[in-house]
Amino acid sequence: TDYAAALAIPAQITGDLPSTVLGKTVTWSATGDGAKLVAADGKVTQPKSGEKAVKVKLTLWLHQGPE
């Protein structure tokens, strides 16, 4: 199963990240200037109008077993 292809995350995020992929729950973590804008469940808080874009490095944790 190609989880990376199923995610299809664009270079510029304009909405929330997926909380599941191919039926599996995922957890996100972020580092960088905009890390506080990304929640573990994939919810993204967009910068306010007029604020500059920020870069983040995302890490995806795929939960294989039952929760």
Side-chain angles (χ1 to χ4, degrees):
T1 305
D2 190 350
Y3 292 102
L7 281 167
I9 303 297
Q12 184 172 344
I13 305 297
T14 58
D16 292 335
L17 299 164
S19 59
T20 62
V21 60
L22 299 176
K24 303 287 185 185
T25 301
V26 297
T27 302
W28 295 94
S29 64
T31 58
D33 293 340
K36 66 183 179 202
L37 302 175
V38 180
D41 65 359
K43 300 273 187 230
V44 176
T45 302
Q46 295 294 322
K48 294 178 182 164
S49 181
E51 289 183 341
K52 70 176 189 156
V54 293
K55 289 186 178 183
V56 297
K57 179 180 179 182
L58 296 170
T59 302
L60 167 80
W61 298 96
L62 178 65
H63 302 274
Q64 296 280 353
E67 296 194 25

